[in-house]
Amino acid sequence: MATMADVARSAGVSVATVSHVLNGTRPVLPHTRQAVLDAVEELGYSTNTLARSLVTARTRSIGLAVSAISNPYFTEILQGVEAAALEAGYSLLIADPHDDPEHERKVVRLLHERRVDGMIVAPSADPRGLLAYLGRHDVPAVFLDRLVDAAGTDGGPRFDQVCADNAEPTSRLVTHLAGLGHRRIGLVAGRPGLSTTSERITGYRSGLAFAGLAYDERLLVHGDSQSAGAEQAIEALLSLGVPPTALVTGNNAMTIGVLRALGAHGLSVPGDIALCCFDDFAWADLFSPRLTAIAQPARDIGARAVRVLLERLAEPDRPARTVRLPSAFVHRTSCGCPSPSEEGMSS
């Protein structure tokens, strides 16, 4: 069986350099790192992870607790987390809390019992039990996508957090629709209690104000972040004496529910009602009409969360921070605009 010394001789480097490459304990020049990895592959060298964990009290594993893994948005986040973890030499343990606070506490406890070095969590709408557990056991953790209003001893955030911008992009969708002449713009918002929901509602209201439109609480309905919930929300909007002429949906699952409900009522998009959505996804460009959307940098959010967690593991006492990544406005045709290609533009 090949040893670390064999790898070092084959790659022409020191044993310490091999250790740094395999354990990620110090930056190594790219060509040197590649030489070590080539030698590892050629010799079939494998590290004794169990023995190393007994010595270092580290398992080089990360726990990921993300709900709705079947959601394309979270699937992309998972891909970003996995790629960044693998590059850093960490394995990944995945659990789905199902957006249920009680189940969330259970899966986080199970991940902790498997001695992960740290966790990346998309918290539920009621994260009190989660916060209590992580704080009681001093678990290094990063929250992604959804922020938690928990202050540390320095007055800043108690935990590291990584998410996308929410308010300004939602405001942009509203002002875009208002610029097309719409005066009754509805919002199908997500599950109450989630930071993404509250921030997108803030963006919706600020967009109305910027466009000089009055806020009508009847035009704001909650789809509970699910397709079925969005279908029910549409029923409430269409039952109004003066229904909206345009809609903004709070995530991709609700966009599907909205399209299904409008189709059941024989309404076309954008002919009868214009539509803009938060969350772009792979087939949004294949819908007819093509969906105007806010595209979140899902993979980058996942990858950044891993890097922030590794920084936390390296410097346990540094102040926690919140990282926000920019989202992009993807202009297509569901809003009622001509195809950008027809205007000599690219989307």
Side-chain angles (χ1 to χ4, degrees):
M1 180 180 294
T3 66
M4 190 177 291
D6 295 331
V7 173
R9 281 192 295 272
S10 178
V13 299
S14 67
V15 172
T17 298
V18 174
S19 177
H20 291 317
V21 170
L22 298 180
N23 297 318
T25 49
R26 184 179 298 173
V28 176
L29 290 173
H31 70 275
T32 302
R33 180 175 185 274
Q34 190 58 53
V36 170
L37 295 178
D38 288 344
V40 166
E41 180 70 20
E42 180 181 350
L43 297 174
Y45 174 76
S46 61
T47 58
N48 189 331
T49 303
L50 178 59
R52 184 174 62 192
S53 69
L54 292 174
V55 173
T56 64
R58 291 281 183 89
T59 61
R60 296 195 69 80
S61 62
I62 294 172
L64 176 65
V66 177
S67 292
I69 290 175
S70 60
N71 184 314
Y73 169 67
F74 282 110
T75 300
E76 286 196 41
I77 281 183
L78 170 59
Q79 291 170 349
V81 169
E82 183 180 40
L86 182 63
E87 182 179 2
Y90 280 75
S91 60
L92 198 61
L93 278 69
I94 305 171
D96 188 340
H98 300 296
D99 266 336
D100 175 74
E102 182 63 29
H103 195 62
E104 178 177 68
R105 287 192 292 272
K106 290 180 181 178
V107 300
V108 165
R109 176 176 56 80
L110 289 172
L111 289 172
H112 185 228
E113 289 174 352
R114 280 157 179 75
R115 303 183 62 81
V116 296
D117 293 340
M119 294 188 202
I120 297 173
V121 184
S124 69
D126 182 7
R128 289 174 296 179
L130 168 68
L131 293 173
Y133 185 91
L134 295 176
R136 184 166 60 252
H137 296 281
D138 197 24
V139 179
V142 175
F143 296 144
L144 61 72
D145 184 58
R146 305 159 176 178
L147 303 185
V148 171
D149 185 17
T153 56
D154 60 354
R158 182 178 174 187
F159 292 94
D160 295 303
Q161 309 187 94
V162 180
C163 65
D165 285 335
N166 287 292
E168 189 281 330
T170 306
S171 177
R172 183 173 181 183
L173 294 179
V174 174
T175 56
H176 178 69
L177 291 168
L180 297 176
H182 295 283
R183 294 295 174 264
R184 288 186 63 77
I185 302 170
L187 173 67
V188 182
R191 178 168 299 174
L194 296 178
S195 67
T196 48
T197 297
S198 60
E199 289 181 1
R200 290 166 197 175
I201 289 175
T202 297
Y204 167 71
R205 297 192 64 165
S206 68
L208 292 175
F210 186 83
L213 300 178
Y215 168 67
D216 183 343
E217 63 180 11
R218 297 172 300 175
L219 293 177
L220 195 164
V221 292
H222 286 274
D224 205 34
S225 301
Q226 301 294 328
S227 177
E231 290 186 61
Q232 296 174 7
I234 288 298
E235 297 299 325
L237 288 175
L238 295 182
S239 68
L240 296 174
V242 183
T245 62
L247 292 172
V248 174
T249 55
N251 75 358
N252 53 24
M254 292 189 295
T255 298
I256 300 300
V258 166
L259 289 170
R260 185 180 293 117
L262 294 176
H265 281 271
L267 299 174
S268 67
V269 176
D272 295 310
I273 190 164
L275 177 65
C276 289
C277 52
F278 209 103
D279 281 344
D280 197 26
F281 42 99
W283 56 87
D285 197 35
L286 303 178
F287 276 80
S288 181
R290 298 160 62 231
L291 298 177
T292 294
I294 294 298
Q296 299 189 80
R299 292 194 186 196
D300 290 343
I301 290 173
R304 180 66 67 87
V306 171
R307 291 196 291 271
V308 170
L309 179 60
L310 296 183
E311 292 167 5
R312 168 62 54 197
L313 294 174
E315 300 180 66
D317 296 326
R318 70 169 179 78
R321 58 182 171 142
T322 296
V323 178
R324 284 190 182 269
L325 302 181
S327 298
F329 177 80
V330 184
H331 187 198
R332 299 190 182 104
T333 58
S334 64
C335 54
C337 292
S339 170
S341 61
E342 296 174 7
E343 298 176 331
M345 299 169 56
S346 63
S347 59

